[in-house]
Amino acid sequence: EIVLTQSPATLSLSPGERATLSCRASQSVSSHLAWYQQKPGQAPRLLIYDASNRATGIPARFSGSGSGTDFTLTISSLEPEDFAVYYCQQRSSWPALTFGGGTKVEI
Amino acid sequence: EVQLVESGGGLVQPGGSLRLSCAASGLTFSTYSMDWVRQAPGKGLEWLSYISRSSATIHYADSVRGRFTVSRDNAKNSLYLQMNSLRDEDTAVYYCANIHFDYWGQGALVTVSS
């Protein structure tokens, strides 16, 4: 099983600041990595697929980078609605998809 | 507007059974492979199962293989998850999602407790 480790567990920032979230895979997943945002009581929302492609309707302040085992989700300037939990997901070992443990971005 | 709506959640005793449904609208359901994902209270996301468009290919996570059965009825635009031999650790919110994970249901809460 491919294990995804997200860091930090919690990121305390203010609106307008830059957020940098990390996801590290236990083995190479090439570029088969996605990022999701989840707010309390809601389903996850796809932000980024294939490491760096924004999903439909996702603002340009969200960007993804990386390949192999190290990936980054960057939010260039935090908006109030961006405070949430973020998960990475690898699709390399399909169908055995796995998710990271999440990073909470809080004020 | 695409909608996936889960139903069938509730409280069940350990060892019991429950059947979740996921009703799709606003998309051509038969052209999408589908997945189930769950989230235990306060925890992360866990992929559970995959079913192809024609039901010809099905996969399960080790944690539910042999206890859960996924199926679909394309004529009814519906996806199902039959859950048997439920355990305390199956308590979670269960989500259906399409193969690309860009459409998700709102989730159905399943609580396994005596």
Side-chain angles (χ1 to χ4, degrees):
Chain A
E1 175 182 308
I2 297 177
V3 177
L4 299 179
T5 302
Q6 291 188 241
S7 61
T10 304
L11 198 51
S12 298
L13 295 169
S14 299
E17 290 192 298
R18 182 184 189 90
T20 303
L21 288 67
S22 174
C23 177
R24 177 164 291 178
S26 59
Q27 64 189 77
S28 177
V29 298
S30 185
S31 62
H32 302 300
L33 190 106
W35 289 94
Y36 299 84
Q37 176 193 68
Q38 188 179 34
K39 297 179 181 179
Q42 296 185 17
R45 174 194 182 196
L46 177 66
L47 299 175
I48 302 287
Y49 65 94
D50 291 344
S52 60
N53 296 290
R54 273 190 303 277
T56 302
I58 302 303
R61 64 181 181 272
F62 291 92
S63 63
S65 63
S67 66
T69 60
D70 290 298
F71 300 86
T72 301
L73 174 69
T74 301
I75 310 171
S76 59
S77 179
L78 283 163
E79 297 288 340
E81 63 267 27
D82 298 337
F83 291 91
V85 179
Y86 293 82
Y87 294 96
C88 56
Q89 176 206 43
Q90 66 80 20
R91 303 179 181 183
S92 176
S93 64
W94 184 92
L97 309 177
T98 52
F99 293 86
T103 290
K104 182 179 182 181
V105 177
E106 65 175 23
I107 298 176
Chain B
E1 179 194 6
V2 174
Q3 280 199 311
L4 299 175
V5 180
E6 296 98 340
S7 60
L11 175 64
V12 61
Q13 292 188 335
S17 297
L18 213 55
R19 188 196 197 205
L20 301 181
S21 298
C22 170
S25 61
L27 77 169
T28 307
F29 180 70
S30 61
T31 66
Y32 287 93
S33 299
M34 299 292 293
D35 290 79
W36 286 98
V37 173
R38 70 182 178 186
Q39 185 170 36
K43 302 296 184 182
L45 300 162
E46 179 187 14
W47 171 81
L48 296 181
S49 72
Y50 162 91
I51 184 168
S52 64
R53 291 170 292 179
S54 65
S55 304
T57 302
I58 287 173
H59 296 289
Y60 297 100
D62 290 344
S63 58
V64 303
R65 186 176 294 113
R67 299 188 300 123
F68 289 13
T69 302
V70 62
S71 62
R72 65 190 295 163
D73 185 337
N74 287 339
K76 295 183 177 180
N77 292 331
S78 292
L79 175 72
Y80 306 102
L81 187 67
Q82 176 66 44
M83 304 183 293
N84 299 331
S85 303
L86 283 161
R87 306 165 179 167
D88 291 351
E89 56 266 33
D90 294 319
T91 293
V93 174
Y94 286 72
Y95 297 101
C96 60
N98 71 325
I99 181 63
H100 305 298
F101 294 94
D102 49 359
Y103 300 129
W104 294 66
Q106 86 287 353
L109 176 62
V110 173
T111 303
V112 184
S113 175
S114 54

